[in-house]
Amino acid sequence: AQKITQTQPGMFVQEKEAVTLDCTYDTSDQSYGLFWYKQPSSGEMIFLIYQGSYDEQNATEGRYSLNFQKARKSANLVISASQLGDSAMYFCAMREGLGTAAGNQFYFGTGTSLTVIP
Amino acid sequence: KAGVTQTPRYLIKTRGQQVTLSCSPISGHRSVSWYQQTPGQGLQFLFEYFSETQRNKGNFPGRFSGRQFSNSRSEMNVSTLELGDSALYLCASSPAQGLNEKLFFGSGTQLSVL
């Protein structure tokens, strides 16, 4: 089974509108971390936001928020007030375990290509 | 602080050849990971080094190998290249291995195998 599933290969959003990118995950660990990265056409992966499995509040970073629904194993990224510069690939990722023991292996989804329309 | 540096940026090789990719992590970062990215497949974990020791290895054939030096710089080697090895290879570093530690990525090496 896939550890991370992103079911939206491509999304379009009007400038200044909000958009939600879906992510579901699969793990039997109690401790895990969820991450979202943005990859512009330049190729570099840019960290956006992090949510820990024990965090009770949804994470927020500026215009980015993470809608964390633990029982449903979903970690959707919400981008508010979209900008043209938000056009990029977006990847959801997960790290399992207690960090040190599990090392730094991240599991990534296949990504969602977001296009912001002026 | 300088970011993660990967060299070369682009590489063209032919089948059967071998290739070495280089990665210099952010100063002070002891963990270096490598990922292969192909269209439609997302990022696939290759391996991770921490203080010169390989801690984790992904599900790749033995043709893929790596190492980390005492200054944390890392190299990845692919021997007997196949057409399917064409991909963007991303290196990432992090200072530690806590659950909330994010990865800092380089711009990648785009490898084309002809």
Side-chain angles (χ1 to χ4, degrees):
Chain A
Q2 293 291 327
K3 290 279 189 181
I4 297 288
T5 301
Q6 295 181 255
T7 58
Q8 306 156 314
M11 290 279 287
F12 292 87
V13 64
Q14 205 75 39
E15 194 178 5
K16 300 179 185 176
E17 297 290 313
V19 63
T20 298
L21 306 184
D22 294 342
C23 172
T24 57
Y25 59 93
D26 181 30
T27 182
S28 57
D29 283 5
Q30 297 301 308
S31 295
Y32 52 89
L34 298 160
F35 301 76
W36 276 91
Y37 281 86
K38 170 185 177 181
Q39 186 180 42
S41 55
S42 59
E44 186 171 345
M45 300 281 282
I46 301 166
F47 167 77
L48 295 177
I49 196 166
Y50 164 81
Q51 179 85 40
S53 59
Y54 294 116
D55 295 340
E56 295 184 354
Q57 302 284 336
N58 285 340
T60 59
E61 291 282 351
R63 295 186 299 111
Y64 304 107
S65 61
L66 200 152
N67 185 358
F68 181 46
Q69 298 187 45
K70 197 170 182 176
R72 299 178 64 180
K73 293 188 174 179
S74 75
N76 298 338
L77 176 70
V78 180
I79 305 175
S80 62
S82 297
Q83 302 172 357
L84 296 179
D86 293 335
S87 293
M89 282 290 290
Y90 288 81
F91 291 94
C92 179
M94 175 177 67
R95 173 201 267 136
E96 294 175 308
L98 293 174
T100 302
N104 259 350
Q105 180 171 354
F106 277 56
Y107 298 94
F108 284 83
T110 52
T112 295
S113 177
L114 178 67
T115 302
V116 180
I117 304 167
Chain B
K1 217 176 204 183
V4 178
T5 304
Q6 289 188 247
T7 56
R9 185 73 178 91
Y10 300 95
L11 207 50
I12 299 175
K13 291 287 187 179
T14 56
R15 279 184 304 172
Q17 287 187 309
Q18 75 165 23
V19 66
T20 299
L21 312 182
S22 179
C23 172
S24 293
I26 292 172
S27 177
H29 286 195
R30 297 166 65 188
S31 170
V32 175
S33 306
W34 289 88
Y35 289 82
Q36 181 195 65
Q37 184 179 14
T38 53
Q41 294 293 317
L43 281 74
Q44 304 293 318
F45 174 75
L46 282 155
F47 29 65
E48 183 232 351
Y49 288 87
F50 186 85
S51 296
E52 301 179 66
T53 301
Q54 186 181 89
R55 290 185 62 91
N56 278 315
K57 190 178 193 310
N59 189 25
F60 278 83
R63 299 185 297 106
F64 292 82
S65 63
R67 58 178 175 169
Q68 186 180 32
F69 302 96
S70 58
N71 61 358
S72 291
R73 191 177 71 85
S74 177
E75 287 182 347
M76 190 191 95
N77 185 274
V78 187
S79 63
T80 319
L81 284 165
E82 300 178 359
L83 295 179
D85 297 334
S86 294
L88 178 66
Y89 290 88
L90 290 164
C91 170
S93 73
S94 70
Q97 294 184 295
L99 196 58
N100 64 341
E101 289 284 354
K102 59 181 180 278
L103 297 178
F104 294 80
F105 284 86
S107 297
T109 293
Q110 184 68 53
L111 172 65
S112 297
V113 182
L114 306 178

